[in-house]
Amino acid sequence: LPLCFPEKLWKMLESDQFRSIWWSEGGKCVAINKDLFEVEVLGRGVCQRVFNTQHIRSVIRQLNLYGFTKVQRDFQRSASLPEFLSEEAAASAHSQILYYYNPSFNRAHPWLLGTCKRR
């Protein structure tokens, strides 16, 4: 039987084959490096394709359909100008990283994966 979207996502996160997607927040969130994901996962040939798409927006749509919500990262800003500017540069590098949360998708509770249903 083919795997459903959450099962494929879980296998990718647990695999050491992908650098573009990982567990974040102690296994409570999924982190995706958008640019690297597009090359590493979505840019694969037909035979090696993980998802039936080549577009990140389709993957994001699937995340939303399965109850994932985008999590905004809050960065504390420094008061000094040089530190603020270096923090801004680091934050812009992080802007390519997308974070998604689903209470039924938690690394510490794999048995909840079965409750992760499509809306």
Side-chain angles (χ1 to χ4, degrees), residues 1 6 9 49 98 113:
L1 288 171
L9 196 61
R49 202 165 279 162
L98 309 172
L113 186 60

Side-chain angles (χ1 to χ4, degrees), residues 96-109:
Q96 290 301 318
I97 300 175
L98 309 172
Y99 297 92
Y100 284 89
Y101 170 77
N102 181 326
S104 297
F105 199 86
N106 186 315
R107 187 178 199 180
H109 307 292

Side-chain angles (χ1 to χ4, degrees), residues 75 85-95:
F75 293 98
L85 293 174
S86 71
E87 289 166 1
E88 280 297 304
S92 81
H94 279 283
S95 70

Side-chain angles (χ1 to χ4, degrees), residues 43-52 54:
R44 290 174 160 221
V46 176
C47 296
Q48 296 179 320
R49 202 165 279 162
V50 177
F51 302 112
N52 294 330
Q54 293 177 293

Side-chain angles (χ1 to χ4, degrees), residues 24-89:
S24 176
E25 306 298 321
K28 294 179 182 168
C29 286
V30 175
I32 301 170
N33 179 318
K34 184 176 169 279
D35 292 341
L36 185 55
F37 190 85
E38 287 175 331
V39 172
E40 182 183 60
V41 178
L42 303 177
R44 290 174 160 221
V46 176
C47 296
Q48 296 179 320
R49 202 165 279 162
V50 177
F51 302 112
N52 294 330
T53 185
Q54 293 177 293
H55 305 285
I56 188 73
R57 67 181 176 273
S58 296
V59 174
I60 291 169
R61 188 177 309 118
Q62 287 293 312
L63 286 165
N64 292 327
L65 282 171
Y66 278 93
F68 286 82
T69 54
K70 189 172 184 181
V71 179
Q72 297 297 328
R73 303 293 294 178
D74 292 327
F75 293 98
Q76 294 295 326
R77 298 292 190 228
S78 181
S80 81
L81 183 61
E83 287 178 24
F84 177 82
L85 293 174
S86 71
E87 289 166 1
E88 280 297 304

